[in-house]
């Protein structure tokens, strides 16, 4: 087991690095202040690291995304004051790099290719495109649930 963790370390570090870069980029797009961009980088690194470790452990993309979003949102709410920044904006900036864009493109291109296929050959393309679209929907739902649970619990401290 330890050997497996050591073997996966470069891949997890790679994902963490690019998660941090993407989170900072989205932080800039979301107009997050310069003082919180470092937090965005850390949150992006945490999100993609947790998701990658979950997938390496055999979890589905959706389950790993849920746990990563939950971890990221908990880190935001337990990490202290945000210095004038809304905690939801930090959570979303940290997690937005986990949106499965490749599955969405595959679904979109598959549905567009249906216009050129004869009806008897379209069933495999429909099934593949629907599968990719469902993965996008369920992954976004898992991410939304993972981000929402800590936000709701933080709002109701007596819960």
């Amino acid at each position: 087991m330890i050997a497996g963790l050591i073997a996966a370390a470069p891949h997890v570090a790679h994902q963490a690095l690019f998660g941090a870069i993407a989170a900072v980029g989205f932080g800039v797009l979301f107009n997050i202040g310069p003082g919180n961009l470092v937090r965005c980088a850390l949150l992006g690194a945490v999100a993609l690291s947790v998701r990658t470790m979950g997938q390496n452990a055999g979890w589905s993309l959706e389950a790993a995304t849920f746990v990563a979003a939950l971890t990221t949102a908990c880190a935001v709410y337990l990490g202290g004051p945000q210095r004038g920044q809304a905690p939801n904006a930090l959570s979303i900036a940290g997690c937005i790099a986990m949106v499965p864009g490749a599955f969405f493109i595959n679904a979109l291109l598959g549905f567009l290719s249906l216009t050129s296929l004869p009806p008897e050959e379209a069933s495999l393309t429909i099934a593949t495109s629907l599968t990719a679209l469902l993965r996008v929907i369920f992954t976004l739902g898992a991410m939304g649930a993972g981000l929402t649970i800590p936000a709701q619990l933080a709002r109701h401290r007596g819960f």
Side-chain angles (χ1 to χ4, degrees), residues 35-113:
N36 280 319
L37 288 179
V38 172
R39 289 184 81 184
C40 284
L42 292 173
L43 292 169
V46 165
L48 282 179
S49 295
V50 170
R51 185 179 81 169
T52 302
M53 288 187 286
Q55 287 186 292
N56 287 345
W59 299 354
S60 69
L61 173 66
E62 298 81 6
T65 301
F66 172 75
V67 172
L70 186 66
T71 303
T72 303
C74 286
V76 166
Y77 285 100
L78 297 175
Q82 283 76 38
R83 294 185 299 264
Q85 192 64 51
N88 290 339
L90 290 172
S91 298
I92 292 171
C95 287
I96 200 161
M98 294 191 299
V99 172
F103 283 118
F104 184 71
I105 290 297
N106 288 340
L108 186 63
L109 292 177
F111 286 130
L112 289 175
S113 71

Side-chain angles (χ1 to χ4, degrees), residues 146-159:
L147 290 172
T148 302
I149 291 170
Q152 292 301 314
L153 292 178
R155 188 179 302 172
H156 305 289
R157 297 224 183 254
F159 182 66

Side-chain angles (χ1 to χ4, degrees), residues 100 102-104 106-108 127-137:
F103 283 118
F104 184 71
N106 288 340
L108 186 63
T128 305
S129 299
L130 277 176
T131 301
L133 185 61
L134 286 173
R135 296 228 36 205
V136 170
I137 291 169

